[in-house]
Amino acid sequence: MQKAKEPIKAKPWYKNSNNWAWIVVGICVLATIIIVAIENAADEKAGANKALPRSYEEIFTPEEQKKMGIGGHIDGPGDWKPDPNIAQKAREFIEKGGNADPQLDAIQDGDYQDLLDQMGGPEGF
């Protein structure tokens, strides 16, 4: 009579090398996620504490500003008000052709070689 085959006993989970490989991979992934999160938090914190650029008024004295020609309003006096007819003027500007320039059109329509000769060659530009 033949002996009945005994069922194969499964190894405990801790003796299987495949399980340990998955555990190591999981720990590495978790460590990577934690390191990236810490770096991002540090970068955000460093960005929040970064000093904003200072204006020239904080850096230079009024005498230095006057000497260098800086200070005041860039576009003129501070009481400037926009033109109330700007919409009408913009419409007229667009209707008449915008930035139409007859000299520029003549250059665009001209021959490149003729323009070079007229200007004295490539060095003439």
Side-chain angles (χ1 to χ4, degrees), residues 57-116:
E57 295 163 338
E58 297 172 350
I59 298 171
F60 301 113
T61 64
E63 294 82 23
E64 291 173 328
Q65 292 174 20
K66 188 173 183 180
K67 182 180 175 184
M68 291 187 283
I70 58 176
H73 294 279
I74 295 172
D75 294 330
D79 58 352
W80 177 83
K81 301 255 187 300
D83 186 3
N85 298 324
I86 192 69
Q88 179 184 1
K89 289 182 179 180
R91 182 179 181 91
E92 290 172 1
F93 178 75
I94 292 170
E95 285 175 353
K96 91 172 183 187
N99 248 357
D101 185 4
Q103 293 173 341
L104 186 59
D105 292 338
I107 291 174
Q108 295 288 338
D109 295 337
D111 183 27
Y112 177 71
Q113 297 301 326
D114 289 342
L115 286 171
L116 278 181

Side-chain angles (χ1 to χ4, degrees), residues 31-76:
T32 303
I33 291 172
I34 291 170
I35 291 171
V36 168
I38 291 171
E39 286 288 324
N40 285 342
D43 287 345
E44 288 177 9
K45 186 176 181 182
N49 294 336
K50 198 179 281 186
L52 296 175
R54 298 183 331 180
S55 72
Y56 65 88
E57 295 163 338
E58 297 172 350
I59 298 171
F60 301 113
T61 64
E63 294 82 23
E64 291 173 328
Q65 292 174 20
K66 188 173 183 180
K67 182 180 175 184
M68 291 187 283
I70 58 176
H73 294 279
I74 295 172
D75 294 330

